Amino acid sequence: MTVREMQLDDLEGVMVIEKENFSVPWTEMGFFSFLLRDDTMFLVAEEEGKIIGYMGIMMVLDEGEITNVSVSKYARRRGIGRTLVGEMIRRMKKRGIVTLHLEVRKSNDAAIALYSSFGFVKDGERKMYYEEPVEDAVLMSCHTSNAIA
């Protein structure tokens, strides 16, 4: 498995994963517009020429907001999400990002456990943040100096 920055040519493979994992998926144009920005970074996990996972972050000054982490249903339970998050944290430290933020569905115990294992802590909730189904979001953050990556 290789982890690298997402390219425009990766969008087709990313969209397959996005649609299989989210009830309200991002559009291809949404990804495209983020890839053109200087304040975002998207990584993909690739195996034998196929995209099996991806992750994105938006940066403002010395903070980063994780936008999404997603792994193909056929490639789960192999540490791909862990690899993507760890690599993103390492890259953010190099860029001088001090604090990382994210929100996650309250029922997504696996993701919450993953983020917690890197040093993220719960620091709030957003009521009825997600749609289809409606659900609260758990807010989490981590200082990169304390992150386990």
Side-chain angles (χ1 to χ4, degrees):
M1 176 179 60
T2 304
V3 175
R4 59 174 174 76
E5 284 196 47
M6 187 187 296
Q7 305 297 314
L8 292 175
D9 291 348
D10 298 323
L11 285 178
E12 184 177 336
V14 166
M15 289 308 301
V16 170
I17 297 169
E18 179 75 6
K19 289 174 183 173
E20 76 182 16
N21 286 329
F22 296 104
S23 59
V24 183
W26 281 19
T27 65
E28 189 168 341
M29 185 55 76
F31 276 105
F32 178 80
S33 65
F34 273 102
L35 287 175
L36 298 177
R37 295 171 52 162
D38 291 332
D39 62 347
T40 63
M41 179 182 290
F42 282 79
L43 301 177
V44 293
E46 182 179 39
E47 190 172 71
E48 298 177 6
K50 184 176 180 178
I51 304 300
I52 56 174
Y54 63 90
M55 176 178 183
I57 195 164
M58 293 182 351
M59 298 164 279
V60 177
L61 301 173
D62 64 350
E63 296 188 4
E65 173 81 20
I66 294 174
T67 58
N68 42 20
V69 179
S70 191
V71 175
S72 170
K73 289 183 178 181
Y74 307 104
R76 290 193 182 152
R77 311 286 304 158
R78 294 179 32 207
I80 295 162
R82 174 170 297 287
T83 299
L84 285 164
V85 173
E87 181 61 23
M88 186 65 83
I89 289 171
R90 285 188 284 283
R91 290 177 185 229
M92 291 300 102
K93 283 181 179 181
K94 287 181 183 176
R95 288 182 75 130
I97 300 298
V98 175
T99 307
L100 298 174
H101 304 279
L102 61 87
E103 56 267 322
V104 60
R105 280 188 181 271
K106 192 172 187 175
S107 65
N108 194 342
D109 295 330
I112 292 169
L114 172 67
Y115 300 132
S116 296
S117 74
F118 280 101
F120 282 83
V121 294
K122 296 178 185 178
D123 52 12
E125 283 190 9
R126 286 199 174 112
K127 296 292 184 192
M128 300 187 309
Y129 179 76
Y130 290 102
E131 302 172 358
E132 297 180 34
V134 173
E135 187 173 355
D136 296 347
V138 173
L139 305 177
M140 300 181 80
S141 64
C142 175
H143 292 277
T144 57
S145 61
N146 299 330
I148 303 160

